[in-house]
Amino acid sequence: MAAGEEHYDALIVGAGFAGIYSLKTLRDDLGLKCLCIDQAGDVGGTWYWNLYPGAMSDTESYVYRYSWDKDDLATYPWKEHYVKQPEVLGYLRHVVEKYDLRRDMRFETRLVGMEWDGTGWRVRMQGRDGERVVRARYVVMGLGLLSKQNVPDIRGIDGFEGEMAHTGKWPGDLALEGKRVGIIGSGSTGIQVISEIGRKVKTLTCFQRHPQYSVPSGDRKVTTEYRQWVNENYDEIWNTRQRIFQENWDKGNGFRFMFGTFNDISTDAEANEGACEFIRSKIDEIVKDPEKARKLKPHDVYARRPLCDGNASSGQSYFEQFNRPNVDIVDLKETPIDQIEAKGIRTGDGHLHELDVLILATGFDAVEGNYNRMRIHGREGKTLKDAWNDGPTSLFGVHVPDFPNFFMINGPLGAFTNQPPAIEAQVAWIASIIQEAERSSSSPVIEATKEGQEGWSELCEKLAADSLFWKAEDNWIFGANIPGKKRCLRFYFGGMSGFHEELRKCVANHYPGFIPFAQEHATTAKM
Ligand SMILES: Cc1cc2nc3c(=O)[nH]c(=O)nc-3n(C[C@H](O)[C@H](O)[C@H](O)COP(=O)(O)OP(=O)(O)OC[C@H]3O[C@@H](n4cnc5c(N)ncnc54)[C@H](O)[C@@H]3O)c2cc1C
């Protein structure tokens, strides 16, 4: 070790749901010396960055949290059926304080590159006080599925003279009241913003790239009886993994609609069209202006991430916003954006839509986006980018061949489901495989084989083969929302119970798909 170099057993990158739980598990349960870093100014991950108006989880409150603290599950408050951004952030801060995790966290610190040197990782980090190198035997990446913002490459975008903000990096002090606001994007985030600000701004022009099949959330206050029922049933809820998946998605409106009504909606074209027709009829019923309704109605397959919007009973659902005279829609398929100018957006029909504020609800370079920004060199100097030349892949969403002792949480081909249980499953897996490996060697090497990764990849392909999700144009689930990004499968669609079963089988069969843990490999790497 070079003089002055810091040394850790485990470096954890990211301080969201994944990083917080990794630190707690590896430090407090395994007794490892850990450091957790994040480029953000504090903990929270998604919920630190996404401060836009209306930001909320669309997973039911009682399962959008950790399952392992039974006391917290029974006592920590939540007011409504869906938790809003400040509450999720408050909850994560509370967990960090309760378990005294902050003392091993470092903020405003970005991982820029790392290399495997045969026994561990040399990691370059950029912090407040410049660049420094640390060594760690294990590196755990909790970088988040949805954390690298996607800023569209539109002609003239840098010349806009008003205020411009991406929802994934929202300046907390951006005032919208009384302003002429434009928003590009009507995915999950876009519809949350539109539903929240329609009644507050002077005008809201929604530049719609894709019409959406959105279903109101049915959000409402949590009653004492409901909370009591949840508390009394928590053990059952969390212990039965299939039940978590089912209940969570059932209650999650858009998710329920897609997966809980007729469960062939995502695989059978006829059943899918039945659901589409129903939602189109709802749009016609809700939106009074037939021209706006026409633009809002999707006609493609219902096969994107299901969307859930505001509370229909309080007049704040997504489609209801378009009954406000100050809220309008521009269908970019009919009239594409020509360019962004100093005063606003000029569309192909020559019209300049004048704006004070432009909101980019344009989503994320999902899954591997953050990895591609770093220089990660595994065995023989091989980069992660090289390894993913034909599309990002892994074993269990966690391991990549040639990158020993390197663990991703929700890397490519991780489970497509409510995130906290998926994160918990992967952190528990990482902790258990480290424990197992350390039993066989004092400096173990935990590394997937190529065959192990290919086997997982084939299983994921098989599970997704019948899904209509493939048919949706520009779907981020397959990487198709980013120009130049490879269109390929990025998730395991077998549900949480299937995922747990695969992990269980791997342990029972003595870790097929892995190089024996005690094996050493000579290697050289360049940074
Ligand atoms: C608006 C929104 C709503 C969502 N709603 C739901 C929902 O209802 N249900 C659900 O299951 N999921 C939802 N998600 C997904 C959500 O991201 C996850 O639920 C969860 O918060 C992910 O936690 P994480 O710790 O894995 O990643 P994140 O919370 O994304 O944290 C990753 C952290 O890594 C840091 N980081 C990245 N690169 C580096 C680097 N090079 N160096 C240092 N730090 C780095 C980032 O700064 C970030 O803080 C939502 C996401 C968004 C954006």
Side-chain angles (χ1 to χ4, degrees):
M1 193 198 322
E5 217 172 56
E6 292 174 66
H7 182 269
Y8 297 94
D9 295 321
L11 177 76
I12 296 152
V13 190
F17 266 99
I20 292 170
Y21 187 44
S22 300
L23 177 58
K24 170 158 190 324
T25 306
L26 299 186
R27 187 192 75 178
D28 296 352
D29 300 349
L30 266 60
L32 300 183
K33 183 181 175 200
C34 298
L35 175 69
C36 173
I37 62 167
D38 199 303
Q39 62 196 2
D42 199 7
V43 296
T46 292
W47 307 99
Y48 171 90
W49 294 108
N50 285 265
L51 301 179
Y52 62 82
M56 61 183 273
S57 151
D58 46 30
T59 297
E60 272 258 7
S61 302
Y62 71 101
V63 277
Y64 198 66
R65 57 197 61 243
Y66 295 120
S67 72
W68 42 268
D69 187 332
K70 302 281 179 229
D71 180 46
D72 248 39
L73 281 179
T75 54
Y76 195 83
W78 69 88
K79 292 184 296 209
E80 281 148 352
H81 280 251
Y82 297 94
V83 261
K84 315 299 174 294
Q85 174 274 333
E87 286 175 279
V88 189
L89 186 59
Y91 166 72
L92 291 174
R93 284 186 177 151
H94 153 80
V95 173
V96 166
E97 302 314 327
K98 180 170 177 183
Y99 292 98
D100 191 18
L101 298 174
R102 202 177 278 281
R103 68 182 150 94
D104 292 308
M105 290 178 156
R106 206 174 287 170
F107 297 104
E108 292 178 37
T109 303
R110 186 166 61 89
L111 188 151
V112 285
M114 52 193 259
E115 68 176 18
W116 173 251
D117 70 4
T119 54
W121 290 94
R122 280 188 77 245
V123 181
R124 275 191 296 130
M125 320 188 308
Q126 186 73 40
R128 293 173 203 155
D129 49 358
E131 189 169 306
R132 65 170 61 210
V133 176
V134 303
R135 279 200 95 257
R137 258 189 306 147
Y138 307 111
V139 175
V140 178
M141 298 293 215
L143 306 185
L145 277 182
L146 302 174
S147 84
K148 164 83 177 71
Q149 301 91 28
N150 169 40
V151 175
D153 183 16
I154 303 173
R155 186 153 57 109
I157 193 164
D158 294 333
F160 180 59
E161 282 178 356
E163 290 181 277
M164 185 161 62
H166 190 287
T167 50
K169 203 174 178 183
W170 188 264
D173 57 354
L174 180 55
L176 299 175
E177 282 75 8
K179 303 257 176 77
R180 297 167 303 172
V181 178
I183 178 166
I184 302 178
S186 47
S188 179
T189 291
I191 64 164
Q192 285 182 356
V193 177
I194 292 165
S195 305
E196 179 65 23
I197 69 173
R199 63 189 183 281
K200 297 178 180 163
V201 299
K202 184 173 179 194
T203 58
L204 178 59
T205 311
C206 307
F207 296 91
Q208 174 189 269
R209 301 182 298 178
H210 302 283
Q212 296 283 6
Y213 295 104
S214 186
V215 177
S217 70
D219 196 10
R220 58 201 184 281
K221 296 263 179 258
V222 165
T223 61
T224 317
E225 296 72 35
Y226 174 80
R227 182 65 196 256
Q228 194 180 336
W229 173 82
V230 170
N231 282 352
E232 283 166 5
N233 289 281
Y234 249 133
D235 275 351
E236 198 192 339
I237 290 166
W238 286 111
N239 289 343
T240 318
R241 297 291 173 166
Q242 183 59 23
R243 169 86 175 271
I244 294 173
F245 179 68
Q246 198 61 53
E247 289 224 355
N248 180 27
W249 284 39
D250 278 359
K251 299 237 166 90
N253 38 71
F255 290 97
R256 175 176 56 181
F257 197 84
M258 181 174 281
F259 297 101
T261 46
F262 300 95
N263 51 22
D264 51 356
I265 283 179
S266 63
T267 51
D268 181 89
E270 207 176 311
N272 189 282
E273 177 52 23
C276 298
E277 192 44 50
F278 180 82
I279 298 180
R280 284 194 289 266
S281 74
K282 284 286 166 201
I283 298 173
D284 276 332
E285 210 175 275
I286 296 167
V287 181
K288 306 289 177 238
D289 177 336
E291 182 56 8
K292 286 184 186 172
R294 183 185 68 78
K295 290 179 183 170
L296 285 164
K297 273 185 295 185
H299 290 278
D300 59 346
V301 63
Y302 180 26
R304 297 171 186 278
R305 177 195 185 277
L307 299 189
C308 319
D309 59 89
N311 188 347
S313 58
S314 65
Q316 286 169 30
S317 73
Y318 173 60
F319 295 117
E320 283 169 309
Q321 301 309 308
F322 296 91
N323 290 333
R324 298 180 191 279
N326 65 328
V327 179
D328 203 0
I329 179 153
V330 176
D331 179 351
L332 295 181
K333 288 202 162 80
E334 286 176 3
T335 45
I337 294 177
D338 183 21
Q339 60 181 4
I340 298 180
E341 301 180 1
K343 301 285 175 224
I345 293 184
R346 191 172 298 277
T347 39
D349 54 3
H351 184 72
L352 177 67
H353 302 265
E354 291 197 23
L355 303 171
D356 304 311
V357 180
L358 176 56
I359 299 175
L360 302 176
T362 42
F364 299 91
D365 182 353
V367 188
E368 76 272 28
N370 274 320
Y371 291 91
N372 286 339
R373 286 194 302 175
M374 298 173 218
R375 297 172 65 80
I376 303 176
H377 292 264
R379 290 191 186 285
E380 317 299 337
K382 183 174 183 177
T383 65
L384 196 59
K385 254 191 175 157
D386 290 342
W388 288 349
N389 232 353
D390 295 330
T393 181
S394 75
L395 170 60
F396 301 144
V398 177
H399 311 271
V400 186
D402 289 325
F403 295 81
N405 295 2
F406 171 80
F407 310 99
M408 303 176 294
I409 298 170
N410 281 324
L413 303 184
F416 184 75
T417 179
N418 175 30
Q419 290 282 290
I423 288 168
E424 287 188 17
Q426 290 185 328
V427 173
W429 167 258
I430 292 165
S432 76
I433 201 167
I434 288 178
Q435 265 183 321
E436 181 63 30
E438 292 202 340
R439 270 196 277 273
S440 56
S441 165
S442 57
S443 59
V445 173
I446 302 167
E447 182 180 354
T449 59
K450 206 162 182 311
E451 295 71 34
Q453 178 219 275
E454 283 167 1
W456 182 249
S457 187
E458 276 162 27
L459 174 66
C460 292
E461 295 280 348
K462 207 164 113 200
L463 289 167
D466 293 335
S467 171
L468 294 173
F469 274 66
W470 284 108
K471 297 215 156 100
E473 133 199 27
D474 295 354
N475 195 343
W476 66 263
I477 289 174
F478 299 103
N481 61 327
I482 307 286
K485 196 164 165 172
K486 190 161 173 72
R487 192 171 197 272
C488 63
L489 184 63
R490 279 168 174 77
F491 290 97
Y492 165 84
F493 281 104
M496 275 319 292
S497 58
F499 190 74
H500 277 279
E501 180 55 18
E502 293 299 330
L503 297 181
R504 194 200 58 74
K505 275 196 302 203
C506 181
V507 176
N509 295 327
H510 308 289
Y511 300 92
F514 287 89
I515 290 168
F517 300 138
Q519 193 168 324
E520 292 299 337
H521 301 257
T523 183
T524 49
K526 285 186 216 72
M527 188 112 108

